[in-house]
């Protein structure tokens, strides 16, 4: 990332931070229930994109060229394929993929104007607004919820869980390494609260992401020793708590299994087990070009069923592209470690969710924004 002597946030840094705040706050339950999330968040990104275009800075897509080639091939495929199967155009996955591309484009354009302090401001804005959403969901739905049922306390748990999990990762890598005790104590409190909220939401996909982030952070050699100690301490506390039979039984039955019978794998996976089992029978007659608009609770299944191998493989390659890019550049600073952790968690989430890591909505935008910003900054630093 570029540094200056003053290290004061730029106007673009402030604009991006405001956009992050509005996008996260669009996931407040009151706004979600009114179905105005897009009206609340999309306009600000369009305004930022328009300002970037008016600045007429040369757009550098070299670091992300592979993604754009895949996106172009996918676009050609669904346009040509729609003449033979118009339902290609009806897939909800299309909008999320192109919206991810739009946010990536905004990151590429805005990244030319950003400095390291702008990146830190953006992460801080995400944490604050994400914590507001987290606290609101907890106080509105979880505080008095009966966790000993098969029902979820909050219906939109998957989207909000991903935002909360991202807040947790940002705190872990960007805030906990601080040497100031007051700030560290505050962020440790936020860290613990986000974990409690994730447990209350019963999002099993988020549990997998949480475990993955903890393991990745603990074993990786390029992060602060303080962060490693905090991760190991949290793991040790969890192990100690799990040694208590009552706590372990409660956690497994009502949180991990969400109150469902452990004898039924399909029930435990909310129907995903049967979808994976039925995949090949649905796919064998449509493996090359797909069957058109349909959905399964997995990006892998959805992409291959809807678009076949010809259109589905580019989608799957686009989904893992940010992670591969990040893993190849881990010798950089903490921004790359943070980005790679988010990319890894989002990609793993695609095994359990239909539209991740592209969407839906505000769920995954930070991945593509960071991808654009960091790719431009890396090219600038190498000059």
């Amino acid at each position: 990332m570029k540094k200056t002597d003053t290290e004061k946030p730029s106007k673009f840094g402030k604009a991006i931070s405001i956009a992050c705040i509005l996008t996260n706050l669009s996931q407040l339950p009151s706004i979600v229930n009114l179905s105005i999330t897009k009206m609340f968040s999309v306009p600000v990104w369009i305004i930022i994109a328009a300002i970037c275009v008016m600045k007429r800075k040369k757009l550098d897509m070299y670091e992300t060229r592979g993604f754009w080639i895949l996106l172009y091939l996918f676009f050609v495929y669904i346009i040509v394929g729609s003449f033979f199967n118009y339902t290609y155009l009806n897939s909800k996955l299309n909008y999320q993929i192109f919206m991810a591309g739009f946010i990536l484009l905004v990151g590429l354009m805005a990244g030319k104007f950003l400095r390291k302090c702008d990146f830190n401001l953006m992460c801080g804005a995400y944490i604050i607004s994400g914590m507001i959403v987290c606290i609101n969901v907890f106080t509105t739905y979880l505080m008095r919820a009966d966790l000993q049922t098969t029902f979820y306390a909050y219906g939109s748990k998957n989207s909000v869980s991903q935002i909360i999990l991202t807040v947790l990762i940002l705190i872990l890598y960007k805030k906990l390494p601080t040497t100031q005790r007051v700030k560290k104590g505050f962020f440790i409190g936020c860290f613990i609260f986000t974990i409690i909220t994730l447990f209350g939401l019963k999002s099993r996909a988020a549990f997998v992401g949480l475990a993955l982030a903890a393991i990745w952070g603990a074993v990786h050699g390029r992060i602060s020793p303080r962060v490693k100690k905090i991760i190991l301490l949290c793991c040790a506390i969890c192990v100690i708590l799990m040694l208590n039979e009552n706590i372990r039984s409660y956690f497994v039955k009502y949180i991990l299994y969400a109150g469902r019978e452990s004898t039924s794998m399909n029930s435990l996976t909310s129907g995903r087990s049967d979808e994976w089992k039925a995949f090949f029978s649905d796919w064998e007659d449509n493996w090359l070009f797909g069957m058109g608009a349909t959905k399964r609770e997995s990006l892998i299944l959805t992409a291959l069923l809807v678009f076949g191998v010809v259109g589905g493989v580019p989608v799957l390659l686009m989904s893992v592209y940010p992670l591969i890019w990040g893993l190849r550049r881990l010798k950089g600073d903490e921004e790359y470690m943070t980005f790679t952790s988010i990319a890894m968690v989002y990609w793993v989430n695609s095994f359990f969710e239909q539209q991740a890591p592209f969407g839906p909505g505000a769920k995954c935008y930070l991945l593509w924004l960071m991808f654009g910003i960091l790719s431009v900054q890396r090219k600038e630093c190498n000059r």
Side-chain angles (χ1 to χ4, degrees):
M1 299 290 288
K2 294 179 292 185
K3 296 183 180 181
T4 65
D5 295 332
T6 57
E7 280 295 320
K8 292 182 179 179
S10 66
K11 291 182 180 179
F12 270 95
K14 294 176 182 177
I16 291 290
S17 299
I18 292 172
C20 289
I21 291 172
L22 291 176
T23 304
N24 283 354
L25 293 183
S26 71
Q27 298 304 300
L28 286 169
S30 56
I31 295 177
V32 172
N33 293 337
L34 292 174
S35 300
I36 58 172
T37 55
K38 292 180 182 178
M39 294 172 56
F40 200 82
S41 59
V42 173
V44 66
W45 293 107
I46 296 176
I47 293 172
I48 292 174
I51 294 174
C52 290
V53 170
M54 288 188 290
K55 289 287 185 179
R56 297 182 180 179
K57 276 264 189 176
K58 183 180 178 181
L59 187 60
D60 192 343
M61 294 183 172
Y62 181 79
E63 287 282 328
T64 59
R65 63 193 183 281
F67 175 86
W68 295 111
I69 292 172
L70 292 168
L71 185 62
Y72 174 75
L73 293 175
F74 174 69
F75 174 75
V76 171
Y77 177 76
I78 62 172
I79 294 300
V80 175
S82 64
F83 288 101
F84 304 94
N85 186 346
Y86 71 92
T87 62
Y88 283 144
L89 300 176
N90 296 335
S91 174
K92 293 182 178 180
L93 192 55
N94 297 340
Y95 173 80
Q96 304 301 336
I97 291 173
F98 289 114
M99 181 56 72
F102 170 70
I103 296 298
L104 172 59
L105 188 62
V106 172
L108 287 170
M109 293 189 293
K112 291 276 187 178
F113 306 96
L114 301 181
R115 301 185 289 267
K116 186 178 180 69
C117 58
D118 294 316
F119 190 88
N120 293 334
L121 179 65
M122 178 188 76
C123 292
Y126 192 101
I127 291 173
I128 292 172
S129 54
M131 283 302 302
I132 292 173
V133 174
C134 179
I135 293 170
N136 185 258
V137 169
F138 183 86
T139 56
T140 305
Y141 291 93
L142 302 181
M143 187 175 290
R144 300 177 182 84
D146 181 8
L147 299 181
Q148 299 182 21
T149 68
T150 57
F151 298 102
Y152 296 111
Y154 182 49
S156 301
K157 66 179 179 65
N158 290 330
S159 292
V160 77
S161 293
Q162 194 81 336
I163 293 175
I164 294 172
L165 182 58
T166 306
V167 168
L168 191 151
I169 293 173
L170 291 176
I171 291 175
L172 187 64
Y173 294 119
K174 299 291 292 181
K175 299 301 180 181
L176 290 187
T178 180
T179 57
Q180 298 183 26
R181 292 185 178 180
V182 175
K183 287 186 177 180
K184 181 179 289 187
F186 171 76
F187 286 115
I188 288 176
C190 292
F191 186 85
I192 295 172
F193 185 78
T194 55
I195 293 177
I196 293 173
T197 304
L198 285 178
F199 286 161
L201 289 169
K202 300 182 184 179
S203 176
R204 273 77 58 83
F207 296 163
V208 174
L210 176 62
L212 183 63
I215 294 172
W216 172 253
V219 302
H220 203 279
R222 297 186 182 94
I223 63 173
S224 167
R226 293 189 184 93
V227 175
K228 285 188 177 182
K229 290 178 181 178
I230 292 172
I231 294 174
L232 293 174
L233 177 61
C234 291
C235 293
I237 293 174
C238 290
V239 171
I240 292 172
L241 290 175
M242 289 299 105
L243 292 176
N244 183 288
E245 185 176 351
N246 292 330
I247 294 177
R248 183 174 66 253
S249 299
Y250 185 91
F251 175 79
V252 171
K253 183 175 182 179
Y254 297 114
I255 304 298
L256 193 59
Y257 289 172
R260 294 175 170 85
E261 292 296 329
S262 60
T263 55
S264 173
M265 180 59 69
N266 191 54
S267 176
L268 289 177
T269 59
S270 300
R272 290 177 176 85
S273 177
D274 282 356
E275 289 184 354
W276 280 88
K277 290 177 182 178
F279 170 71
F280 287 102
S281 61
D282 295 334
W283 191 55
E284 61 182 355
D285 296 328
N286 305 280
W287 67 272
L288 188 59
F289 298 110
M291 58 192 299
T294 186
K295 66 176 184 177
R296 297 292 187 272
E297 289 301 323
S298 168
L299 176 72
I300 299 172
L301 302 187
T302 300
L304 293 177
L305 281 176
V306 175
F307 305 112
V309 170
V310 178
V313 169
V315 172
L316 298 180
L317 290 176
M318 282 188 285
S319 72
V320 76
Y321 196 94
L323 175 58
I324 295 174
W325 184 89
L327 288 172
R328 293 176 62 186
R329 290 157 180 82
L330 274 179
K331 292 183 180 179
D333 54 20
E334 64 182 18
E335 280 77 17
Y336 291 92
M337 183 66 196
T338 305
F339 169 76
T340 305
S341 299
I342 292 174
M344 184 179 297
V345 168
Y346 282 23
W347 180 71
V348 169
N349 190 244
S350 70
F351 286 80
F352 312 102
E353 300 296 336
Q354 175 193 352
Q355 299 172 20
F358 304 108
K363 180 176 178 178
C364 300
Y365 78 94
L366 187 66
L367 170 67
W368 303 99
L369 179 64
M370 291 177 69
F371 187 23
I373 293 173
L374 290 178
S375 63
V376 170
Q377 295 294 335
R378 182 176 185 275
K379 190 71 181 293
E380 291 290 323
C381 291
N382 288 339
R383 288 178 178 174

